[in-house]
Amino acid sequence: MFTGIVEELGTILATDPQGSGQRIRIGATDVLDGAKLGDSTAVDGCCLTVVALGDGWWEADVSDETLRRTTLGARQAGDRVNLERPLLVTDRLGGHIVQGHVDAVGEVLAPVPDLRVRMPEDLRRYVIEKGSITVDGVSLTVVQPTDDGFTVSVIPHTADVTTLGAKTPGDAVNLEVDLIAKYTERLLAFPKELPDG
């Protein structure tokens, strides 16, 4: 579980095909503080497991499913990525509840500060004005739903400390819609059973 408050910009150091997936090595410092094998770390909003680590780097195995459904399959050495360690029970929830399970890949239509993103039609029903959305692991507030996606306002600080400030039209981004909206829809889809008698 994450909050969408990016802790650090990491750098992809290497990608190594392994079976149907790949292993990636990421250069980082802050997210390595206290890190151990088996820990989770969000990379551009994708929850990955630490499988190896050393001085200034860590590695994760990325499944073929994750490579297909996220932007990680297109990442190359030198690319910057947003990193976040999982939420501790004692932490402040500064963003919103983020699982690190990417729903889809969207496309940047307009850059920051008024970021506009196109998203798949089947996810648009989860986007509401002033609702939460995660873009490349960054917790953002929707300014306006659009016919093909949404807009968000990105403050200069967020643009500087995440990859969002470097995004240009045509760039792909990982999207995770609000978890509460998905659960609410699922619950409402089932008729309430009345007690016998």
Side-chain angles (χ1 to χ4, degrees):
M1 194 71 70
F2 304 92
T3 67
I5 304 299
V6 171
E7 294 182 85
E8 176 180 12
L9 273 174
T11 303
I12 302 290
L13 300 178
T15 61
D16 181 26
Q18 306 231 330
S20 62
Q22 72 179 13
R23 179 167 286 198
I24 61 171
R25 178 176 284 202
I26 300 170
T29 54
D30 295 348
V31 298
L32 290 172
D33 184 24
K36 59 188 184 305
L37 295 181
D39 283 353
S40 296
T41 301
V43 179
D44 278 351
C46 302
C47 180
L48 300 178
T49 301
V50 176
V51 297
L53 68 162
D55 186 21
W57 61 268
W58 65 282
E59 292 181 344
D61 291 326
V62 186
S63 70
D64 182 54
E65 167 76 0
T66 300
L67 293 173
R68 278 195 325 269
R69 294 180 60 108
T70 73
T71 61
L72 291 182
R75 293 286 176 255
Q76 299 175 0
D79 287 350
R80 303 302 303 271
V81 288
N82 297 319
L83 302 176
E84 180 189 358
R85 289 173 292 184
L87 176 69
L88 295 173
V89 175
T90 56
D91 285 346
R92 289 185 174 92
L93 187 60
H96 71 281
I97 297 172
V98 176
Q99 288 187 295
H101 302 163
V102 172
D103 290 303
V105 172
E107 178 188 357
V108 172
L109 298 178
V112 300
D114 299 314
L115 183 66
R116 183 175 173 191
V117 177
R118 176 184 293 133
M119 69 189 310
E121 184 177 358
D122 63 326
L123 292 177
R124 293 179 203 154
R125 66 182 178 273
Y126 302 117
V127 178
I128 62 167
E129 184 178 349
K130 303 306 178 197
S132 297
I133 188 91
T134 307
V135 179
D136 271 357
V138 182
S139 173
L140 297 167
T141 301
V142 174
V143 171
Q144 181 179 1
T146 63
D147 289 342
D148 58 358
F150 60 91
T151 63
V152 289
S153 291
V154 179
I155 64 171
H157 173 77
T158 301
D160 289 342
V161 300
T162 72
T163 59
L164 296 184
K167 297 295 180 186
T168 59
D171 285 348
V173 288
N174 293 322
L175 302 176
E176 182 182 329
V177 298
D178 185 37
L179 174 68
I180 295 171
K182 290 192 289 186
Y183 272 116
T184 301
E185 178 185 62
R186 181 72 172 160
L187 286 169
L188 292 174
F190 288 92
K192 184 176 178 182
E193 294 183 14
L194 298 175
D196 293 335

